Amino acid sequence: MRFRTALVTLLLTSVTLIAQPAGAATRATIAYAQLKQTWELVLTNGDVVEVPEALAKAPAGAVNSGARAPFLVSGDGRHFFYFRKSDERFVERTLSSKERVVSRDLTAYSINEEWPLVSDDGSFVITMTSAPGVGVFADLRKGKQLPSPGKTDAWGFSGFSPDGKRLLLQGERVVVFDRGLRARTRLKTRLSPVALANDYVTTAVPVGTYPKYRKLRLLNLRTGRASSTVTVQLPRGQYIDDLDFDRAGHVIVRSRTKTGVAIYRVSKVTGKATLMRRVARPVAAVWVLPGDSAYEPWTEKK
């Protein structure tokens, strides 16, 4: 997950997205998406852009009919992804572009059987599956789908580097792949890193019992050395709900609060958590922040 979109609280006006949105909207990025009567994009300039062509639920005939359909926003707040109603394909677009199909193998039939994940720049999509392994590897920059690396689909996906140039996967070994799915770094370890920094060797590992993580370690994939355990100094009752790096190499933690999400920059040495911002939950059935996966602890209203 990525955390670079600042939220602005302004008077919201409604704009319907049919083909091309209003020109003013293209100068803003997406602050978050929300599901009301239909999916909507709330922009950083305060505008609201409706996306009526996006499915809200898996259709009749899908494996999990009625399940909530994923709607994703890239970490940079510029790309959004959804299953469209017309043909149930998973598509990508920006505020100023037309839809393009991510993969013809990914349709609404597999909602809640495959979970799409998107790189920070919106240019690479993979899917985790209910069976062991990874389903789709789609490089949107080159417009092609790649076969699973290593002639096996028995991979677990752990994350993209912030610049989107590397993918972190785990099988018998932890492996860093480039965008062409060529292995760059391999390490056999018992640790399970969940985030990869832009140096392509530093990873972050949550420590504790899911979902109440409050500690982490850093693991170097080149040397195999792990740091000592660091306790993240979060407020009482908050936990590490999302762990990642920013482009500068800082450890970033998102933590669910009673009113939404708090985002912290964490010291790799002391665990001191510096609050970067709080994001208040909107009045909506579901909301999605840039960089969210198909489900986050704060996704649905409780």
Side-chain angles (χ1 to χ4, degrees):
M1 309 308 166
R2 307 290 184 257
F3 324 105
R4 297 181 184 83
T5 305
L7 298 184
V8 180
T9 303
L10 295 169
L11 179 65
L12 302 182
T13 57
S14 180
V15 181
T16 300
L17 178 60
I18 303 295
Q20 297 293 330
T26 63
R27 294 192 291 271
T29 58
I30 301 164
Y32 59 87
Q34 60 185 9
L35 179 59
K36 290 188 172 180
Q37 297 300 316
T38 187
W39 278 104
E40 299 175 346
L41 303 173
V42 179
L43 307 186
T44 52
N45 66 1
D47 286 346
V48 176
V49 178
E50 295 180 356
V51 192
E53 58 270 41
L55 279 171
K57 296 181 179 180
V63 177
N64 298 292
S65 177
R68 179 166 65 84
F71 191 107
L72 301 180
V73 179
S74 61
D76 62 10
R78 299 183 183 280
H79 305 258
F80 54 105
F81 300 75
Y82 54 89
F83 288 94
R84 65 184 176 194
K85 295 177 181 177
S86 60
D87 61 1
E88 301 178 1
R89 302 283 187 187
F90 192 63
V91 298
E92 174 272 343
R93 69 173 304 175
T94 68
L95 292 168
S96 59
S97 74
K98 297 181 179 180
E99 296 171 335
R100 59 173 171 171
V101 174
V102 171
S103 167
R104 296 197 174 277
D105 294 335
L106 185 55
T107 70
Y109 179 80
S110 65
I111 288 174
N112 263 19
E113 298 294 325
E114 286 192 87
W115 296 274
L117 297 162
V118 178
S119 63
D120 184 74
D121 64 359
S123 68
F124 208 105
V125 176
I126 68 97
T127 62
M128 293 298 295
T129 69
S130 56
V134 177
V136 170
F137 290 86
D139 186 338
L140 301 183
R141 189 178 297 168
K142 294 186 175 180
K144 66 179 182 180
Q145 185 170 330
L146 303 172
S148 184
K151 299 180 180 180
T152 176
D153 61 359
W155 291 105
F157 182 76
S158 296
F160 297 97
S161 59
D163 61 11
K165 294 181 179 180
R166 296 289 188 271
L167 298 80
L168 181 66
L169 284 84
Q170 297 184 60
E172 294 181 356
R173 298 175 184 268
V174 177
V175 184
V176 175
F177 291 95
D178 63 19
R179 291 176 63 97
L181 299 186
R182 295 176 290 266
R184 297 296 187 178
T185 307
R186 300 176 183 268
L187 178 68
K188 191 170 185 178
T189 176
R190 294 182 179 180
L191 297 177
S192 297
V194 300
L196 176 67
N198 264 351
D199 63 6
Y200 312 141
V201 296
T202 304
T203 60
V205 184
V207 176
T209 303
Y210 176 83
K212 297 185 177 182
Y213 296 122
R214 291 182 66 89
K215 300 178 180 181
L216 62 85
R217 301 178 74 182
L218 299 180
L219 173 66
N220 186 301
L221 299 182
R222 182 173 295 135
T223 65
R225 294 177 181 173
S227 72
S228 57
T229 299
V230 174
T231 300
V232 179
Q233 299 172 23
L234 295 171
R236 183 184 298 272
Q238 288 183 218
Y239 302 96
I240 301 171
D241 292 314
D242 182 85
L243 179 60
D244 219 317
F245 294 93
D246 65 13
R247 287 180 178 260
H250 300 121
V251 174
I252 304 296
V253 164
R254 290 196 290 184
S255 179
R256 181 176 181 173
T257 68
K258 292 181 180 180
T259 59
V261 183
I263 303 170
Y264 302 90
R265 183 172 61 244
V266 176
S267 168
K268 301 172 184 177
V269 178
T270 66
K272 179 182 178 181
T274 301
L275 179 66
M276 298 171 65
R277 64 184 178 273
R278 298 183 188 274
V279 185
R281 192 191 196 291
V283 180
V286 180
W287 69 310
V288 177
L289 288 170
D292 276 359
S293 60
Y295 176 81
E296 301 286 359
W298 51 81
T299 298
E300 296 179 355
K301 188 174 183 179
K302 298 298 183 182

PDB file of all heavy atoms in Angstrom, residues 96-119:
ATOM      1  N   SER A  96      -8.953  10.973 -16.995  1.00  0.00           N
ATOM      2  CA  SER A  96      -9.000  11.573 -18.332  1.00  0.00           C
ATOM      3  C   SER A  96      -8.830  10.563 -19.452  1.00  0.00           C
ATOM      4  O   SER A  96      -8.611  10.938 -20.602  1.00  0.00           O
ATOM      5  CB  SER A  96      -7.919  12.659 -18.456  1.00  0.00           C
ATOM      6  OG  SER A  96      -6.635  12.118 -18.230  1.00  0.00           O
ATOM      7  N   SER A  97      -8.922   9.267 -19.141  1.00  0.00           N
ATOM      8  CA  SER A  97      -8.726   8.257 -20.190  1.00  0.00           C
ATOM      9  C   SER A  97      -9.928   7.326 -20.281  1.00  0.00           C
ATOM     10  O   SER A  97     -10.784   7.300 -19.400  1.00  0.00           O
ATOM     11  CB  SER A  97      -7.469   7.424 -19.904  1.00  0.00           C
ATOM     12  OG  SER A  97      -7.704   6.522 -18.828  1.00  0.00           O
ATOM     13  N   LYS A  98      -9.952   6.579 -21.364  1.00  0.00           N
ATOM     14  CA  LYS A  98     -10.971   5.563 -21.533  1.00  0.00           C
ATOM     15  C   LYS A  98     -10.570   4.278 -20.816  1.00  0.00           C
ATOM     16  O   LYS A  98      -9.422   4.115 -20.411  1.00  0.00           O
ATOM     17  CB  LYS A  98     -11.185   5.280 -23.029  1.00  0.00           C
ATOM     18  CG  LYS A  98     -11.710   6.471 -23.812  1.00  0.00           C
ATOM     19  CD  LYS A  98     -11.915   6.116 -25.278  1.00  0.00           C
ATOM     20  CE  LYS A  98     -12.463   7.309 -26.055  1.00  0.00           C
ATOM     21  NZ  LYS A  98     -12.675   6.968 -27.495  1.00  0.00           N
ATOM     22  N   GLU A  99     -11.526   3.376 -20.676  1.00  0.00           N
ATOM     23  CA  GLU A  99     -11.258   2.085 -20.037  1.00  0.00           C
ATOM     24  C   GLU A  99     -10.347   1.233 -20.908  1.00  0.00           C
ATOM     25  O   GLU A  99     -10.390   1.299 -22.137  1.00  0.00           O
ATOM     26  CB  GLU A  99     -12.572   1.318 -19.838  1.00  0.00           C
ATOM     27  CG  GLU A  99     -13.561   1.984 -18.906  1.00  0.00           C
ATOM     28  CD  GLU A  99     -14.903   1.274 -18.929  1.00  0.00           C
ATOM     29  OE1 GLU A  99     -15.219   0.625 -19.948  1.00  0.00           O
ATOM     30  OE2 GLU A  99     -15.641   1.379 -17.948  1.00  0.00           O
ATOM     31  N   ARG A 100      -9.533   0.425 -20.240  1.00  0.00           N
ATOM     32  CA  ARG A 100      -8.817  -0.625 -20.947  1.00  0.00           C
ATOM     33  C   ARG A 100      -8.863  -1.884 -20.096  1.00  0.00           C
ATOM     34  O   ARG A 100      -8.753  -1.835 -18.865  1.00  0.00           O
ATOM     35  CB  ARG A 100      -7.374  -0.235 -21.262  1.00  0.00           C
ATOM     36  CG  ARG A 100      -6.496   0.102 -20.078  1.00  0.00           C
ATOM     37  CD  ARG A 100      -5.058   0.305 -20.526  1.00  0.00           C
ATOM     38  NE  ARG A 100      -4.218   0.827 -19.480  1.00  0.00           N
ATOM     39  CZ  ARG A 100      -2.898   0.936 -19.565  1.00  0.00           C
ATOM     40  NH1 ARG A 100      -2.270   0.529 -20.662  1.00  0.00           N
ATOM     41  NH2 ARG A 100      -2.192   1.433 -18.572  1.00  0.00           N
ATOM     42  N   VAL A 101      -9.051  -3.010 -20.755  1.00  0.00           N
ATOM     43  CA  VAL A 101      -9.166  -4.293 -20.064  1.00  0.00           C
ATOM     44  C   VAL A 101      -7.810  -4.688 -19.506  1.00  0.00           C
ATOM     45  O   VAL A 101      -6.799  -4.650 -20.211  1.00  0.00           O
ATOM     46  CB  VAL A 101      -9.697  -5.380 -21.023  1.00  0.00           C
ATOM     47  CG1 VAL A 101      -9.676  -6.751 -20.349  1.00  0.00           C
ATOM     48  CG2 VAL A 101     -11.110  -5.029 -21.475  1.00  0.00           C
ATOM     49  N   VAL A 102      -7.780  -5.078 -18.237  1.00  0.00           N
ATOM     50  CA  VAL A 102      -6.540  -5.503 -17.595  1.00  0.00           C
ATOM     51  C   VAL A 102      -6.123  -6.875 -18.091  1.00  0.00           C
ATOM     52  O   VAL A 102      -4.983  -7.101 -18.484  1.00  0.00           O
ATOM     53  CB  VAL A 102      -6.707  -5.511 -16.059  1.00  0.00           C
ATOM     54  CG1 VAL A 102      -5.502  -6.159 -15.389  1.00  0.00           C
ATOM     55  CG2 VAL A 102      -6.911  -4.093 -15.550  1.00  0.00           C
ATOM     56  N   SER A 103      -7.042  -7.818 -18.058  1.00  0.00           N
ATOM     57  CA  SER A 103      -6.788  -9.182 -18.515  1.00  0.00           C
ATOM     58  C   SER A 103      -8.112  -9.829 -18.864  1.00  0.00           C
ATOM     59  O   SER A 103      -9.076  -9.727 -18.101  1.00  0.00           O
ATOM     60  CB  SER A 103      -6.098  -9.997 -17.420  1.00  0.00           C
ATOM     61  OG  SER A 103      -6.120 -11.385 -17.735  1.00  0.00           O
ATOM     62  N   ARG A 104      -8.171 -10.494 -19.995  1.00  0.00           N
ATOM     63  CA  ARG A 104      -9.408 -11.167 -20.370  1.00  0.00           C
ATOM     64  C   ARG A 104      -9.655 -12.413 -19.529  1.00  0.00           C
ATOM     65  O   ARG A 104     -10.720 -13.004 -19.584  1.00  0.00           O
ATOM     66  CB  ARG A 104      -9.382 -11.514 -21.868  1.00  0.00           C
ATOM     67  CG  ARG A 104      -9.338 -10.265 -22.739  1.00  0.00           C
ATOM     68  CD  ARG A 104      -9.708 -10.529 -24.181  1.00  0.00           C
ATOM     69  NE  ARG A 104      -9.792  -9.290 -24.927  1.00  0.00           N
ATOM     70  CZ  ARG A 104     -10.856  -8.495 -24.950  1.00  0.00           C
ATOM     71  NH1 ARG A 104     -11.937  -8.840 -24.272  1.00  0.00           N
ATOM     72  NH2 ARG A 104     -10.846  -7.376 -25.656  1.00  0.00           N
ATOM     73  N   ASP A 105      -8.654 -12.806 -18.748  1.00  0.00           N
ATOM     74  CA  ASP A 105      -8.829 -13.945 -17.839  1.00  0.00           C
ATOM     75  C   ASP A 105      -9.462 -13.540 -16.517  1.00  0.00           C
ATOM     76  O   ASP A 105      -9.801 -14.398 -15.705  1.00  0.00           O
ATOM     77  CB  ASP A 105      -7.467 -14.597 -17.542  1.00  0.00           C
ATOM     78  CG  ASP A 105      -6.850 -15.246 -18.765  1.00  0.00           C
ATOM     79  OD1 ASP A 105      -7.619 -15.621 -19.672  1.00  0.00           O
ATOM     80  OD2 ASP A 105      -5.618 -15.370 -18.812  1.00  0.00           O
ATOM     81  N   LEU A 106      -9.621 -12.238 -16.297  1.00  0.00           N
ATOM     82  CA  LEU A 106     -10.137 -11.757 -15.018  1.00  0.00           C
ATOM     83  C   LEU A 106     -11.521 -11.149 -15.230  1.00  0.00           C
ATOM     84  O   LEU A 106     -11.658 -10.067 -15.798  1.00  0.00           O
ATOM     85  CB  LEU A 106      -9.177 -10.717 -14.432  1.00  0.00           C
ATOM     86  CG  LEU A 106      -9.485 -10.177 -13.035  1.00  0.00           C
ATOM     87  CD1 LEU A 106      -9.610 -11.305 -12.029  1.00  0.00           C
ATOM     88  CD2 LEU A 106      -8.404  -9.203 -12.604  1.00  0.00           C
ATOM     89  N   THR A 107     -12.551 -11.856 -14.789  1.00  0.00           N
ATOM     90  CA  THR A 107     -13.928 -11.405 -14.960  1.00  0.00           C
ATOM     91  C   THR A 107     -14.659 -11.464 -13.621  1.00  0.00           C
ATOM     92  O   THR A 107     -14.160 -11.997 -12.631  1.00  0.00           O
ATOM     93  CB  THR A 107     -14.684 -12.291 -15.965  1.00  0.00           C
ATOM     94  OG1 THR A 107     -14.907 -13.596 -15.387  1.00  0.00           O
ATOM     95  CG2 THR A 107     -13.900 -12.445 -17.268  1.00  0.00           C
ATOM     96  N   ALA A 108     -15.854 -10.896 -13.617  1.00  0.00           N
ATOM     97  CA  ALA A 108     -16.653 -10.853 -12.395  1.00  0.00           C
ATOM     98  C   ALA A 108     -17.045 -12.246 -11.904  1.00  0.00           C
ATOM     99  O   ALA A 108     -17.439 -12.410 -10.745  1.00  0.00           O
ATOM    100  CB  ALA A 108     -17.911 -10.016 -12.638  1.00  0.00           C
ATOM    101  N   TYR A 109     -16.941 -13.241 -12.768  1.00  0.00           N
ATOM    102  CA  TYR A 109     -17.253 -14.613 -12.352  1.00  0.00           C
ATOM    103  C   TYR A 109     -16.380 -15.040 -11.172  1.00  0.00           C
ATOM    104  O   TYR A 109     -16.798 -15.836 -10.333  1.00  0.00           O
ATOM    105  CB  TYR A 109     -17.035 -15.567 -13.532  1.00  0.00           C
ATOM    106  CG  TYR A 109     -17.296 -17.028 -13.201  1.00  0.00           C
ATOM    107  CD1 TYR A 109     -18.600 -17.523 -13.166  1.00  0.00           C
ATOM    108  CD2 TYR A 109     -16.249 -17.907 -12.923  1.00  0.00           C
ATOM    109  CE1 TYR A 109     -18.856 -18.856 -12.854  1.00  0.00           C
ATOM    110  CE2 TYR A 109     -16.491 -19.223 -12.607  1.00  0.00           C
ATOM    111  CZ  TYR A 109     -17.794 -19.701 -12.567  1.00  0.00           C
ATOM    112  OH  TYR A 109     -18.038 -21.015 -12.249  1.00  0.00           O
ATOM    113  N   SER A 110     -15.155 -14.512 -11.092  1.00  0.00           N
ATOM    114  CA  SER A 110     -14.205 -14.966 -10.082  1.00  0.00           C
ATOM    115  C   SER A 110     -14.109 -14.037  -8.870  1.00  0.00           C
ATOM    116  O   SER A 110     -13.202 -14.178  -8.058  1.00  0.00           O
ATOM    117  CB  SER A 110     -12.809 -15.109 -10.707  1.00  0.00           C
ATOM    118  OG  SER A 110     -12.320 -13.844 -11.127  1.00  0.00           O
ATOM    119  N   ILE A 111     -15.033 -13.089  -8.728  1.00  0.00           N
ATOM    120  CA  ILE A 111     -15.005 -12.197  -7.573  1.00  0.00           C
ATOM    121  C   ILE A 111     -15.045 -13.018  -6.283  1.00  0.00           C
ATOM    122  O   ILE A 111     -15.834 -13.938  -6.142  1.00  0.00           O
ATOM    123  CB  ILE A 111     -16.187 -11.208  -7.611  1.00  0.00           C
ATOM    124  CG1 ILE A 111     -15.959 -10.169  -8.710  1.00  0.00           C
ATOM    125  CG2 ILE A 111     -16.377 -10.509  -6.257  1.00  0.00           C
ATOM    126  CD1 ILE A 111     -17.126  -9.229  -8.932  1.00  0.00           C
ATOM    127  N   ASN A 112     -14.164 -12.683  -5.351  1.00  0.00           N
ATOM    128  CA  ASN A 112     -13.978 -13.406  -4.084  1.00  0.00           C
ATOM    129  C   ASN A 112     -13.318 -14.769  -4.258  1.00  0.00           C
ATOM    130  O   ASN A 112     -13.228 -15.548  -3.314  1.00  0.00           O
ATOM    131  CB  ASN A 112     -15.275 -13.553  -3.294  1.00  0.00           C
ATOM    132  CG  ASN A 112     -15.402 -12.481  -2.224  1.00  0.00           C
ATOM    133  OD1 ASN A 112     -14.728 -11.458  -2.283  1.00  0.00           O
ATOM    134  ND2 ASN A 112     -16.266 -12.704  -1.252  1.00  0.00           N
ATOM    135  N   GLU A 113     -12.846 -15.049  -5.479  1.00  0.00           N
ATOM    136  CA  GLU A 113     -11.983 -16.200  -5.734  1.00  0.00           C
ATOM    137  C   GLU A 113     -10.609 -15.715  -6.191  1.00  0.00           C
ATOM    138  O   GLU A 113      -9.614 -16.411  -6.018  1.00  0.00           O
ATOM    139  CB  GLU A 113     -12.589 -17.122  -6.803  1.00  0.00           C
ATOM    140  CG  GLU A 113     -13.922 -17.733  -6.419  1.00  0.00           C
ATOM    141  CD  GLU A 113     -13.804 -18.704  -5.250  1.00  0.00           C
ATOM    142  OE1 GLU A 113     -12.772 -19.402  -5.141  1.00  0.00           O
ATOM    143  OE2 GLU A 113     -14.752 -18.757  -4.436  1.00  0.00           O
ATOM    144  N   GLU A 114     -10.596 -14.526  -6.794  1.00  0.00           N
ATOM    145  CA  GLU A 114      -9.356 -13.852  -7.160  1.00  0.00           C
ATOM    146  C   GLU A 114      -9.409 -12.422  -6.638  1.00  0.00           C
ATOM    147  O   GLU A 114     -10.431 -11.753  -6.747  1.00  0.00           O
ATOM    148  CB  GLU A 114      -9.165 -13.830  -8.685  1.00  0.00           C
ATOM    149  CG  GLU A 114      -8.761 -15.147  -9.293  1.00  0.00           C
ATOM    150  CD  GLU A 114      -8.320 -14.992 -10.729  1.00  0.00           C
ATOM    151  OE1 GLU A 114      -7.124 -14.722 -10.962  1.00  0.00           O
ATOM    152  OE2 GLU A 114      -9.166 -15.139 -11.622  1.00  0.00           O
ATOM    153  N   TRP A 115      -8.270 -11.974  -6.069  1.00  0.00           N
ATOM    154  CA  TRP A 115      -8.213 -10.639  -5.486  1.00  0.00           C
ATOM    155  C   TRP A 115      -7.125  -9.827  -6.180  1.00  0.00           C
ATOM    156  O   TRP A 115      -5.932 -10.112  -6.047  1.00  0.00           O
ATOM    157  CB  TRP A 115      -7.924 -10.732  -3.987  1.00  0.00           C
ATOM    158  CG  TRP A 115      -9.027 -11.432  -3.259  1.00  0.00           C
ATOM    159  CD1 TRP A 115     -10.178 -10.880  -2.761  1.00  0.00           C
ATOM    160  CD2 TRP A 115      -9.106 -12.836  -2.966  1.00  0.00           C
ATOM    161  NE1 TRP A 115     -10.953 -11.846  -2.165  1.00  0.00           N
ATOM    162  CE2 TRP A 115     -10.331 -13.062  -2.276  1.00  0.00           C
ATOM    163  CE3 TRP A 115      -8.259 -13.921  -3.204  1.00  0.00           C
ATOM    164  CZ2 TRP A 115     -10.713 -14.319  -1.834  1.00  0.00           C
ATOM    165  CZ3 TRP A 115      -8.653 -15.179  -2.778  1.00  0.00           C
ATOM    166  CH2 TRP A 115      -9.862 -15.369  -2.100  1.00  0.00           C
ATOM    167  N   PRO A 116      -7.516  -8.796  -6.951  1.00  0.00           N
ATOM    168  CA  PRO A 116      -6.516  -8.001  -7.677  1.00  0.00           C
ATOM    169  C   PRO A 116      -5.752  -7.068  -6.748  1.00  0.00           C
ATOM    170  O   PRO A 116      -6.279  -6.550  -5.765  1.00  0.00           O
ATOM    171  CB  PRO A 116      -7.370  -7.211  -8.674  1.00  0.00           C
ATOM    172  CG  PRO A 116      -8.726  -7.138  -8.053  1.00  0.00           C
ATOM    173  CD  PRO A 116      -8.895  -8.401  -7.267  1.00  0.00           C
ATOM    174  N   LEU A 117      -4.483  -6.849  -7.067  1.00  0.00           N
ATOM    175  CA  LEU A 117      -3.600  -5.924  -6.365  1.00  0.00           C
ATOM    176  C   LEU A 117      -2.884  -5.083  -7.406  1.00  0.00           C
ATOM    177  O   LEU A 117      -2.526  -5.581  -8.477  1.00  0.00           O
ATOM    178  CB  LEU A 117      -2.591  -6.683  -5.507  1.00  0.00           C
ATOM    179  CG  LEU A 117      -3.184  -7.519  -4.370  1.00  0.00           C
ATOM    180  CD1 LEU A 117      -2.167  -8.549  -3.891  1.00  0.00           C
ATOM    181  CD2 LEU A 117      -3.615  -6.626  -3.217  1.00  0.00           C
ATOM    182  N   VAL A 118      -2.643  -3.811  -7.095  1.00  0.00           N
ATOM    183  CA  VAL A 118      -2.164  -2.854  -8.082  1.00  0.00           C
ATOM    184  C   VAL A 118      -0.902  -2.170  -7.582  1.00  0.00           C
ATOM    185  O   VAL A 118      -0.796  -1.814  -6.399  1.00  0.00           O
ATOM    186  CB  VAL A 118      -3.255  -1.794  -8.351  1.00  0.00           C
ATOM    187  CG1 VAL A 118      -2.768  -0.756  -9.348  1.00  0.00           C
ATOM    188  CG2 VAL A 118      -4.540  -2.457  -8.846  1.00  0.00           C
ATOM    189  N   SER A 119       0.073  -1.963  -8.477  1.00  0.00           N
ATOM    190  CA  SER A 119       1.276  -1.219  -8.115  1.00  0.00           C
ATOM    191  C   SER A 119       0.931   0.244  -7.878  1.00  0.00           C
ATOM    192  O   SER A 119      -0.116   0.742  -8.312  1.00  0.00           O
ATOM    193  CB  SER A 119       2.334  -1.335  -9.221  1.00  0.00           C
ATOM    194  OG  SER A 119       1.874  -0.750 -10.419  1.00  0.00           O
TER     195      SER A 119
END
